[in-house]
Amino acid sequence: MAFGSAPERPAAVARALRFIRNPEADRFRDAALEVFAYQLERNAPYARFCRSRGVGGAGDVRDWTEIPPVPTAAFRDPGLTTAPGTRTFLTSGTTGGEARRGRHVLPEVDLYRASWEAPFRRHLLPDRPSIRMLCLVPSPETAPESSLGFMMGEAVARFGAPGSGFFLEPGRVRAEALESAVASARGAGEPVLVAGTAHALAVWMEARASGAVGALPAGSRIMDTGGMKGRGPDRPRDEAVARLAAAFGIPGTRVVGEYGMTELCSQFYEPVLAEAAAAPAGRRYVGPPWARARVLDPDTLRPLPAGTPGLLAVWDLANAWTVSAVVTEDLAVEAAEGGFRLLGRATGAELRGCSLATEELLHG
Amino acid sequence: MAEPAAVVKELRDGAFQLAAAGDDAVLDGLAAALDLWRGESGFAARAARTLHAESGQSEAMLRFGLDRMVAAHSREALKRWLTDARVEAARLAAARHPEGEPPVLATLRGPTVVAQILAGNVAGLAVPAALEALLARSAVLLKPASGDPVTAALWLESLRRAAPLLAGAVAVEPWTGGDRKTEDPVFESVDYVVASGGAEMAVSLGRRLHTPHVIYGPRISVGVVGMAWMQAPETWWEEATREIVLWDQAGCLSPRILFVAGDPRRFAARLAEALSGWETRWPARPRTPEEASAIHQFRAPYEMAAPTSAGCVSPGDTTWTVVWDEDPSLDAGPPARVVRVAHRPSRRAMKELLERNRDRVQGVGLAHLARNELDWKRAAAAAEIPWIGPLTSIQAPPAGWRADGRSGLASLLAEGVVAAHNSP
């Protein structure tokens, strides 16, 4: 992480910030094209990437859907930014060493701050102004390079009731302290928001299974960030939700999936709490007005019709300082009612080749 | 699969019959079965058709690879393979039991029943696997991979037609890998296991197996190209890129990185042309989403790089990719017709790179090295690279070549000697 003075905010970035603060006052297409033109001019690696995709200038693009998305691997390049960074968020993967880690280099975090808050409130706190937050993510102090830690640090400061805290330490989940916090909330008749990665939640669930512990207090909710990242089996979403609901004694409709990544400043959520009154239409993720998701043909990276599985790509105005259009390694399908459903990770290609037999032998 | 104990018992009976057969009978039988694989109505053509329909791999490519494999296993080549392996087996056996009597080479026999767990990345691996066992007079249980569910059964069919005695010592039994209920009884009842797979499998199976075994893990291959590529004729580019696209680059002898003298950017551009040409003759099989994603992710840093330091050449889809840079490392892209062209380091640096990665590198293909070729061969040999050959035929090792560079047949025969020595 590097600190320094924030640069003056260019017009395109200022427009993105205005859009995030007041989405009704602008058109996504126009703002996205202005941000793209700025990024093309100021982000040299991205400009070269666009040229390789046949986009030499901003005039070659007429709609946000034509803005070339970079694969997440592009974020390994520390030069993938439009201005010198004062804050760098790193991806968690360490396979292949430090050079293989993605890094989101931000000149300032105002867009990030502006973008996380409203969707968080809408999807996790539609019914109350604050809540006790039990965070199973790294705290901003212990992991200043974690974008999730940063967001949850901000969330605790903004919406956290007394008793909120971080319960994940390097290498361990503080299960006993978590149970004490739950008991304390229960005693006070207050709900909690448990926020964590799928892996951390699984570790706590395991600890719970071996002890005499009660359900979370009424009105509690869970935000899970999904994905075991290779540390266990990724389960179908419905199954994962059912397991969480059973382990913590809350209805499945109070388990809210969050989809975010270091490379994106905005987050997508399952609108199960926000749309509690609406008829359930199956789990899906929806984004804020300043971020659009499309599902692309894995082969050509061209958009696919709704219902066809492909690679998820996101166009995020909150990424105005770096690259707004990012194609992920996640497989998804666009939901007819809006948003997308995650189908899994598109990783493991290296398993072909001679190592294919590993899979053959172990899994058939 | 059928009841493992019953299958293995039948194989033991088959091995008993086979043990008494003379060399000529075995060699004639194998050669006759292999003859059935030749020609337009032969088994190779049938296997290529069926695999093409099942996997989407190019039928012409499959046919070429299978034909090449059959051609490499002429009767003469099989005889040479057996003769060389017997000498090597005697040496191996003597090293393990120096006090024992030197064996009579012609009487050497492998373990009675061998299980061959096949990889599916290259078609037709069942054929050399069974040849190895049958030449050792071992019966063999072949477990096909889901990537090639065809050739093992066809090979058995050809043996039944041409050499019933040999066919009696072969069984083909698919089962779900990792299904301990099926797998453990098989491994416990056979006398030897040969498995091809990745690092995880090697560790997992190595822990589980109490039966003598050998396990082959994943590796990559590279090319080393001298300056004269700039004058190389069209045929050289055709042949070099054919070795890249063969088996859709999934083989452990498929070149993934080419270290070239001169300008890697120019080389990459020329290589891209040649790869594009193969796309019309041997189209790449459809990519899985995982493969396509990995290709896009791999390309991205090259697509963003300053044009003086690195670059990427590719069509609008993921059928093939050439990237180039100056990095003397073994970083390879996904095995899906993705080649990295890198500036060739000095011979000394290359030797050190290979030595540091000797567990990862399967083969080194050499080209256009002129008077220095022998020195480069020596450098690769000093790094204990299992296969060193011309880049234009790197995927055509001789009959009997095994993934670790040692003779699998010799290992089987030596195992037989040791087993006999240890038996009461």
Side-chain angles (χ1 to χ4, degrees), chain B residues 229 260 262-270 307-308 313 324 326 341:
Chain B
W229 64 262
V260 304
D263 183 357
R265 180 185 188 165
R266 278 184 60 200
F267 187 95
R270 185 65 190 84
T308 49
V313 193
W324 64 271
E326 304 276 338
V341 177

Side-chain angles (χ1 to χ4, degrees), chain A residues 45 48-49 52-53 71-74 77 80 298-299 301 311 329 331 346-347 349-350 352-355 357-358 360-364, chain B residues 117 121 146-147 176-178 196-198 201 205 218 250 252 256 285 289-292 294 296-297 303-306 317-318 334-335:
Chain A
R48 288 192 289 268
F49 176 85
S52 79
R53 299 293 164 108
T72 48
D77 183 344
L80 194 74
D299 202 34
L301 297 185
L311 290 174
E329 291 180 88
L331 291 170
T347 54
E350 196 63 22
R352 285 200 62 82
C354 287
S355 62
T358 307
E360 297 290 349
L361 203 68
L362 298 177
H363 308 298
Chain B
I117 313 302
N121 52 321
S146 60
T176 305
S196 299
M201 181 279 286
L205 203 58
C252 52
R256 309 266 292 276
R285 64 167 168 67
E290 289 80 4
E291 287 167 333
H296 290 302
Q297 296 286 343
E303 290 171 317
M304 299 192 315
D317 54 27
T318 56

Side-chain angles (χ1 to χ4, degrees), chain A residues 62-143:
Chain A
R62 291 183 192 158
D63 189 55
W64 65 270
T65 55
E66 296 168 12
I67 297 171
V70 292
T72 48
F75 282 84
R76 289 184 197 143
D77 183 344
L80 194 74
T81 185
T82 59
T86 61
R87 181 113 200 193
T88 299
F89 294 117
L90 298 177
T91 58
S92 55
T94 52
T95 309
E98 197 67 18
R100 310 286 287 183
R101 292 179 80 175
R103 55 200 69 221
H104 202 165
V105 180
L106 296 170
E108 44 106 346
V109 289
D110 285 6
L111 269 82
Y112 205 131
R113 282 205 168 99
S115 67
W116 75 264
E117 187 177 320
F120 187 94
R121 192 173 55 223
R122 172 173 151 73
H123 293 288
L124 291 158
L125 300 169
D127 52 343
R128 51 191 306 122
S130 65
I131 196 166
R132 289 188 192 208
M133 292 189 201
L134 313 183
C135 303
L136 279 80
V137 303
S139 73
E141 292 75 30
T142 57

Side-chain angles (χ1 to χ4, degrees), chain B residues 198-266:
Chain B
E200 263 180 65
M201 181 279 286
V203 172
S204 160
L205 203 58
R207 281 191 190 131
R208 283 161 53 197
L209 277 176
H210 302 296
T211 311
H213 60 270
V214 59
I215 300 171
Y216 299 105
R219 293 186 177 216
I220 66 167
S221 288
V222 303
V224 176
V225 184
M227 270 299 206
W229 64 262
M230 285 184 258
Q231 287 85 45
E234 184 67 23
T235 49
W236 183 82
W237 292 98
E238 290 276 311
E239 289 169 8
T241 44
R242 180 194 61 213
E243 297 304 297
I244 292 166
V245 299
L246 181 60
W247 310 125
D248 275 315
Q249 211 190 15
C252 52
L253 286 175
S254 302
R256 309 266 292 276
I257 307 164
L258 300 180
F259 294 99
V260 304
D263 183 357
R265 180 185 188 165
R266 278 184 60 200

Side-chain angles (χ1 to χ4, degrees), chain B residues 89-112:
Chain B
R91 193 189 65 75
L92 290 172
R96 286 169 73 177
H97 287 285
E99 74 284 5
E101 284 286 312
V104 179
L105 296 185
T107 63
L108 289 178
R109 297 290 183 268
T112 310

